[in-house]
């Protein structure tokens, strides 16, 4: 038996073949070929496959995000067959008697450079479309699987670490779980795994070797164990735990349709965290009562260029309409730190978590902010949208955000476009500064939502991305809980509600403390809704105490 001990990052038991994620190696060298016709055939097959993929993507985009998003893929499909582009590739093949990869890469670069050198900003921006199409043909030539997983059956995905943007590109239907050599349970890949409701383990170290490719692994996302060739006893333990997990899932079904209310009548809003319109299905399946955090930056991370106002509008509108009048809190762009988006060209920083991230980027780049706010306000006509600003430290930042909202509403009014002028505005409390300023900040907004992932990081001076801080990264630390209490008191003192949308919100060990603090809303991954509801329904709010705030 082989046992690798990592750290549990997303609960659940599963077994399946290990598949090591390969970052696309696109190094292309020129080779001389003997059979040029065979090379041309390979090229034609790769082009046909690319067109097929792009048409499927266009169809999916049309269903999920409307015509404008579909047009992008349709244009890409047309470009694969563009006469000049194809002629340049063929000329290169014939003149140089070379491999198709080299000819495609050379033609792609030539075209991209030509567009980039044009005066017109629109044409310049097409250079990235050409690179994208070229890369797709190259991937198909080199057999690099779309969605990163070249397997018919679902797998347990193994990797060193995965950037959030890489995780987003993966074909989720093929993933049973994640096992990472590095990574942290507080990073966004772990958060995505929890949103998807699949087990994940990080910090497995070098013992997780590629020699295990294809072998069946048993993983337990709670204990952090990865087992190959289990002995009888281990197998029995896994099987029993798996059976219990299934039983629990069935039991939780009975919670659907029940109220989120304690035995003594305190109502708590149990909402969900999502990263894309696709996640709404999981929210509805788990009977989430609203969306407490839509991480809008994942739309930017998925894209090769700034998502347009219309693309964003369609995404927000889809979510708002699907939630059918229930609250949908959309957080404005929160990139920087571990969420890097190449086309933003952010300067390299020594300490990106303390750098120009989240609201700081939006306030520094008013055009990017305005586009998003316009999309949000336009979508507000189609459901109960609220807007939330991340990483706030000062009152002036909130006032500037509100001024940007006012300006956008004025524009939309002038243009005759519908929007909800009473759209609620809230802020995330995720810096110690915002806790200390909570009294003043509460006077500016309609609600607070505590981002405990960052609040823990900044309060305890512990990098949430690091996997070796161990007991020092302690989200149960009384300093974090006192910060929550101070925030809740300031919110209630000023007549606004307060929620938690960090991962701590789903921590059942703290539920009584949250009730004692007076938290009004808990926004958790969809899979955590029903267990949380079951726990709330067993609690008596008036007997809950603040013991955990005491010094340890
Ligand atoms: C948080 O910091 O707790 C939070 C919810 O935001 P994110 O995890 O996306 O930084
Ligand atoms: Mg945060």
């Amino acid at each position: 038996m082989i046992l690798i001990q990592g750290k549990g990052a997303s609960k659940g038991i599963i077994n399946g073949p290990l598949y090591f994620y390969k970052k696309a190696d696109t190094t292309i060298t020129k080779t001389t070929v003997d059979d040029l016709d065979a090379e041309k055939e390979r090229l034609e097959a790769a082009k046909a496959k690319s067109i097929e993929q792009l048409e499927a993507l266009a169809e999916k985009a049309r269903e999920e995000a409307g015509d404008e998003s579909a047009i992008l893929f349709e244009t890409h499909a047309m470009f694969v067959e563009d006469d000049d582009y194809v002629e340049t590739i063929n000329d290169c093949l014939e003149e140089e008697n070379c491999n198709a990869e080299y000819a495609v890469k050379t033609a792609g670069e030539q075209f991209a450079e030509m567009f980039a050198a044009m005066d017109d900003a629109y044409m310049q921006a097409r250079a990235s479309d050409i690179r994208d199409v070229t890369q797709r043909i190259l991937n198909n030539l080199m057999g690099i699987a779309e969605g990163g997983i070249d397997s018919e059956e679902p797998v347990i995905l193994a990797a060193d670490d995965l950037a959030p943007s890489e995780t987003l590109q993966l074909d989720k239907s093929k993933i049973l779980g994640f096992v990472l050599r590095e990574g942290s349970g507080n990073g966004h890949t772990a958060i995505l795994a929890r949103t998807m409701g699949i087990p994940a383990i990080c910090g497995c170290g070098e013992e997780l070797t590629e020699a295990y490719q294809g072998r069946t692994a048993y993983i337990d996302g709670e204990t952090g164990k990865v087992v190959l060739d289990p002995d009888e006893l281990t197998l029995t333990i896994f099987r029993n735990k798996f059976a219990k997990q299934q039983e629990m899932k069935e039991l939780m079904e009975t919670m659907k349709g029940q109220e989120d209310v304690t035995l003594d009548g305190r109502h708590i809003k149990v909402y969900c965290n999502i990263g894309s319109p696709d996640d709404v299905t999981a929210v509805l399946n788990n009977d989430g009562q609203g969306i407490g955090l839509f991480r809008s930056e994942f739309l930017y991370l998925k894209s090769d260029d700034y998502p347009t106002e219309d693309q964003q509008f369609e995404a927000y509108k889809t979510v708002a309409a699907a939630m059918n009048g229930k609250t949908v809190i959309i957080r404005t762009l929160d990139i920087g730190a571990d969420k890097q988006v190449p086309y933003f060209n952010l300067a390299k920083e020594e300490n990106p978590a303390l750098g120009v991230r989240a609201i700081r980027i939006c306030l520094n780049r008013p055009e990017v902010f305005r586009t998003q706010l316009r999309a949000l306000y336009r979508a507000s006509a189609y459901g109960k949208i609220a807007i939330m600003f991340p990483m706030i430290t000062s009152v002036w930042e909130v006032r500037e955000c509100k001024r940007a909202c006012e300006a956008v509403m004025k524009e939309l009014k002038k243009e005759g476009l519908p929007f909800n002028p009473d759209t609620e505005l809230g802020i995330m409390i995720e810096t110690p500064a915002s806790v200390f300023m909570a009294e003043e900040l509460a006077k500016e907004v309609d609600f607070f939502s505590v981002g405990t992932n960052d609040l823990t990081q900044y309060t305890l001076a512990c990098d949430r991305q690091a996997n070796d801080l161990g007991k020092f990264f302690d989200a149960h630390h009384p300093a974090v809980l006192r910060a929550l209490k101070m925030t809740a008191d300031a919110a209630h003192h000023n007549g606004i509600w307060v929620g938690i949308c960090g991962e701590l919100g789903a921590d059942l060990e703290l539920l009584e403390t949250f009730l004692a603090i007076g938290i009004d809303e808990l926004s958790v991954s969809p899979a955590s809704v029903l267990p949380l509801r079951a726990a709330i329904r067993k609690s008596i709010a008036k007997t809950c105490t603040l013991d955990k705030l005491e010094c340890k």
Side-chain angles (χ1 to χ4, degrees):
M1 177 169 100
I2 300 163
L3 167 66
I4 303 168
Q5 185 64 57
K7 291 183 194 117
S10 174
K11 272 193 210 163
I13 293 255
I14 201 81
N15 64 307
L18 276 178
Y19 181 95
F20 282 78
Y21 174 72
K22 290 178 206 66
K23 291 194 199 281
D25 178 8
T26 47
T27 338
I28 288 163
T29 42
K30 183 179 173 187
T31 52
T32 308
V33 293
D34 299 328
D35 187 349
L36 200 56
D37 285 339
E39 216 50 23
K40 283 184 183 166
E41 263 172 42
R42 285 182 61 230
L43 174 63
E44 286 313 312
K47 276 166 47 192
K49 193 164 178 190
S50 303
I51 292 171
E52 204 179 291
Q53 290 166 346
L54 287 161
E55 283 173 351
L57 283 170
E59 203 169 306
K60 189 164 181 269
R62 178 163 289 109
E63 277 165 20
E64 289 174 4
D67 282 346
E68 201 190 330
S69 300
I71 286 168
L72 176 82
F73 296 114
E74 282 165 356
T75 317
H76 280 199
M78 272 152 56
F79 191 76
V80 177
E81 297 187 291
D82 176 85
D83 286 346
D84 293 336
Y85 181 64
V86 172
E87 197 181 313
T88 314
I89 299 173
N90 287 338
D91 285 353
C92 181
L93 265 180
E94 276 167 21
E95 282 161 22
E96 313 240 0
N97 208 25
C98 63
N99 49 333
E101 286 87 344
Y102 180 78
V104 171
K105 185 167 180 266
T106 310
E109 271 170 12
Q110 211 172 308
F111 270 70
E113 274 166 28
M114 187 175 82
F115 276 88
M118 290 183 182
D119 287 338
D120 184 278
Y122 176 81
M123 296 310 263
Q124 281 171 6
R126 302 289 64 77
S128 70
D129 290 328
I130 289 156
R131 291 200 179 97
D132 214 20
V133 171
T134 303
Q135 191 57 55
R136 180 176 295 280
I137 304 175
L138 285 173
N139 285 350
N140 285 325
L141 271 169
M142 296 186 290
I144 295 172
E146 185 154 46
I149 303 167
D150 191 8
S151 162
E152 290 299 317
E153 55 175 338
V155 296
I156 295 176
L157 197 77
D160 282 339
D161 195 2
L162 288 166
S165 55
E166 284 173 319
T167 316
L168 283 170
Q169 309 292 343
L170 296 168
D171 178 354
K172 313 286 184 300
S173 65
K174 296 251 182 80
I175 306 175
L176 298 168
F178 289 105
V179 284
L180 304 178
R181 290 193 186 102
E182 300 156 19
S184 137
N186 308 302
H188 285 94
T189 299
I191 290 175
L192 276 167
R194 291 194 281 270
T195 305
M196 288 159 66
I198 60 173
I201 297 172
C202 60
C204 292
E206 293 308 313
E207 282 176 57
L208 183 67
T209 118
E210 290 205 23
Y212 300 147
Q213 169 81 11
R215 292 193 37 193
T216 301
Y218 292 74
I219 66 169
D220 182 343
E222 188 175 23
T223 60
K225 286 189 181 1
V226 182
V227 179
L228 283 84
D229 299 331
D231 58 27
E232 267 313 307
L233 179 63
T234 312
L235 198 55
T236 310
I237 294 173
F238 261 99
R239 283 190 180 140
N240 287 346
K241 204 163 172 187
F242 184 77
K244 278 212 180 94
Q245 177 180 290
Q246 298 310 104
E247 249 172 53
M248 190 49 99
K249 273 191 188 154
E250 278 162 33
L251 191 66
M252 284 303 131
E253 286 293 305
T254 62
M255 284 293 120
K256 289 189 181 169
Q258 306 277 356
E259 278 189 309
D260 297 306
V261 61
T262 62
L263 286 171
D264 53 339
R266 168 99 73 85
H267 284 262
I268 306 291
K269 297 186 247 188
V270 177
Y271 289 174
C272 290
N273 295 346
I274 64 164
S276 97
D278 293 348
D279 298 333
V280 176
T281 314
V283 177
L284 297 173
N285 286 344
N286 288 282
D287 199 23
Q289 291 305 297
I291 289 172
L293 169 64
F294 177 177
R295 290 181 162 95
S296 71
E297 59 275 9
F298 289 173
L299 298 176
Y300 292 71
L301 281 161
K302 262 187 191 167
S303 177
D304 292 330
D305 205 345
Y306 293 95
T308 63
E309 178 184 318
D310 278 351
Q311 284 169 338
Q312 293 190 56
F313 163 65
E314 289 293 342
Y316 305 147
K317 179 178 142 189
T318 305
V319 175
M323 290 306 290
N324 202 13
K326 289 182 173 159
T327 301
V328 176
I329 302 176
I330 305 181
R331 171 171 82 182
T332 58
L333 182 65
D334 181 8
I335 58 162
D338 66 322
K339 288 176 279 193
Q340 289 293 329
V341 183
Y343 55 86
F344 268 78
N345 293 320
L346 298 174
K348 201 161 168 25
E349 295 172 309
E350 280 295 318
N351 293 303
L354 304 180
V356 185
R357 59 166 292 201
I359 202 65
R360 299 173 185 176
I361 294 179
C362 290
L363 295 179
N364 278 351
R365 300 189 186 190
E367 262 319 298
V368 172
F369 199 26
R370 174 173 163 266
T371 304
Q372 181 167 38
L373 290 176
R374 281 183 58 96
L376 286 167
Y377 272 102
R378 281 175 57 197
S380 71
Y382 298 87
K384 197 172 172 210
I385 280 181
I387 301 175
M388 176 158 78
F389 305 109
M391 276 293 290
I392 294 294
T393 55
S394 309
V395 174
W396 69 261
E397 293 166 338
V398 182
R399 293 196 178 140
E400 217 169 300
C401 291
K402 283 164 63 182
R403 275 198 292 276
C405 291
E406 289 296 331
V408 157
M409 283 195 279
K410 230 176 175 175
E411 282 176 18
L412 296 178
K413 201 168 171 193
K414 224 168 153 186
E415 293 165 33
L417 290 169
F419 64 93
N420 173 11
D422 299 320
T423 299
E424 291 203 349
L425 299 180
I427 58 167
M428 294 196 63
I429 299 289
E430 42 189 355
T431 61
S434 62
V435 176
F436 297 137
M437 300 303 291
E439 276 290 338
E440 288 78 2
L441 290 167
K443 295 182 173 51
E444 301 288 332
V445 290
D446 301 304
F447 64 91
F448 282 163
S449 184
V450 185
T452 48
N453 310 331
D454 276 317
L455 186 61
T456 307
Q457 148 162 278
Y458 297 124
T459 302
L460 303 182
C462 276
D463 180 357
R464 65 188 270 196
Q465 294 301 117
N467 74 28
D468 50 4
L469 277 158
K471 62 186 178 202
F472 297 105
F473 191 102
D474 174 15
H476 288 214
H477 195 293
V480 177
L481 302 177
R482 284 183 194 181
L484 265 169
K485 170 94 170 83
M486 284 168 70
T487 306
D489 288 350
H492 294 151
H493 185 220
N494 289 281
I496 65 168
W497 63 264
V498 58
I500 297 177
C501 63
E503 297 297 296
L504 205 60
D507 191 331
L508 298 183
E509 232 183 273
L510 288 176
L511 176 62
E512 296 219 336
T513 308
F514 298 152
L515 290 171
I517 285 175
I519 297 295
D520 304 293
E521 177 241 27
L522 293 165
S523 189
V524 297
S525 61
S528 299
V529 167
L530 299 174
L532 179 56
R533 177 170 300 159
I536 291 172
R537 293 175 62 82
K538 276 192 214 138
S539 304
I540 302 174
K542 71 168 185 285
T543 62
C544 292
T545 58
L546 295 168
D547 298 350
K548 291 222 163 52
L549 272 63
E550 303 295 326
C551 269
K552 280 195 266 179

